[in-house]
Amino acid sequence: MMFHEYYDIYCECFSQYKITYDMYIKKLNPEKSHIIFKEIHGDVLGYSIIHGNSIVLLCVKQSHRNRGYGSQLLFEAEKYIYNQGSKSVLLGRGSHYLFQGVPFDSTQVVAFFKNRGYTAAWISANMAFNLNVFDFNMRRIPLAPPQFEFRFAVESDKLSLLNAVMETEPTWRYYFEACSDPILVATDHNKIIGFIIISLDDALKKFEEKKVGSIGCIGVIPEYRKRGVGRQLVVHGLKWLKRQACLFVEARYVWDIQWYEKLGFFNTGHQWMGEKILKEL
């Protein structure tokens, strides 16, 4: 199957973000994407994967770089997105993706997109937490008020959870509607006031092949903020992941780096959140 060939090219282009073939398929869902590829005599030399108005991956074999293939793939991807009715294109993030933006490991890659009209309103950080050496009792993390309960969401919570998400960050609704991972919630007398998505084996960096989990979409409804709810959601999530034998936890889409550092996270890299307004192509 051609997906194996795509995976091999990915591994060559992003050797610092090693993942298994199964994770590649799970995260990118190529069967339900639009794929544009370039080939010579049946040999694929590069491709782009598109979900909605997001270019979630663009790869060109090292042996065929600096020959215009990347520019061609990008132009054809933009044209496809425009013809589908979208007036803008995002890099990375979307309904299925590996990177929330463009990895900042190489300024050359970011420059490639900047030179073709892309801009970024912000830069996202990737943070990690070492559960193997961290002692929760050694770090003084303020407790939330005692009437708040922390538990995993159940099916009957779906409507109230979505209402809390809409009150906190409406753009996250899709992720919670489609989420198959555990969702930890904070409640005040059964009212959902905060939430966090927890995933197992979902990180791009495997940290020397150790078991890794991730946390994301941490939110607290406005009237309950600055009361320790967000911090305790993270702590409860980390403790649960440790019980699942995870040694590292990754957090993405981070903009408030200091907030995570106070909890014990460290910075592992940045993502350039590129996008572009499309004109008639």
Side-chain angles (χ1 to χ4, degrees), residues 17 105 125-129 205 207 249-251 266-270:
Y17 294 100
D105 305 76
N126 287 354
M127 308 289 288
F129 191 98
K205 290 189 176 181
F207 298 96
V249 179
E250 189 177 53
F266 56 92
N267 197 329
T268 62
H270 294 84

Side-chain angles (χ1 to χ4, degrees), residues 144-150 186-189 193 224 227-229:
Q147 73 268 25
F148 296 164
E149 180 185 0
F150 297 86
T187 64
D188 180 12
H189 297 94
I193 61 174
Y224 283 88
R227 299 171 70 177
V229 177

Side-chain angles (χ1 to χ4, degrees), residues 133-241:
V133 300
F134 190 82
D135 184 350
F136 288 97
N137 295 321
M138 293 297 293
R139 185 176 292 270
R140 295 181 178 179
I141 299 175
L143 297 175
Q147 73 268 25
F148 296 164
E149 180 185 0
F150 297 86
R151 60 173 176 80
F152 282 103
V154 295
E155 183 63 28
S156 59
D157 291 319
K158 187 172 183 179
L159 181 58
S160 56
L161 173 60
L162 289 178
N163 287 337
V165 171
M166 292 298 292
E167 188 175 349
T168 305
E169 180 51 70
T171 60
W172 289 353
R173 181 185 178 98
Y174 170 84
Y175 301 111
F176 283 86
E177 286 181 327
C179 184
S180 59
D181 293 314
I183 299 174
L184 185 69
V185 296
T187 64
D188 180 12
H189 297 94
N190 293 321
K191 175 184 178 180
I192 293 180
I193 61 174
F195 43 80
I196 180 174
I197 295 176
I198 304 173
S199 301
L200 289 169
D201 295 321
D202 194 33
L204 288 175
K205 290 189 176 181
K206 285 299 181 181
F207 298 96
E208 300 177 355
E209 302 304 317
K210 294 180 173 63
K211 190 173 181 180
V212 178
S214 68
I215 60 173
C217 293
I218 305 165
V220 178
I221 63 176
E223 64 187 281
Y224 283 88
R225 291 174 185 169
K226 299 187 182 300
R227 299 171 70 177
V229 177
R231 289 190 294 264
Q232 286 302 315
L233 279 167
V234 172
V235 169
H236 280 76
L238 294 175
K239 288 182 176 179
W240 183 83
L241 286 167

Side-chain angles (χ1 to χ4, degrees), residues 11-22:
C11 291
E12 178 186 320
C13 294
F14 296 97
S15 58
Q16 70 275 42
Y17 294 100
K18 293 181 180 179
I19 57 175
T20 64
Y21 175 76
D22 289 342

Side-chain angles (χ1 to χ4, degrees), residues 60-71 108 112 116:
V60 176
K61 285 183 177 179
Q62 293 183 7
S63 59
H64 289 80
R65 292 180 183 173
N66 299 315
R67 302 184 188 182
Y69 293 120
S71 296
Q108 184 178 3
F112 170 84
R116 288 155 182 81

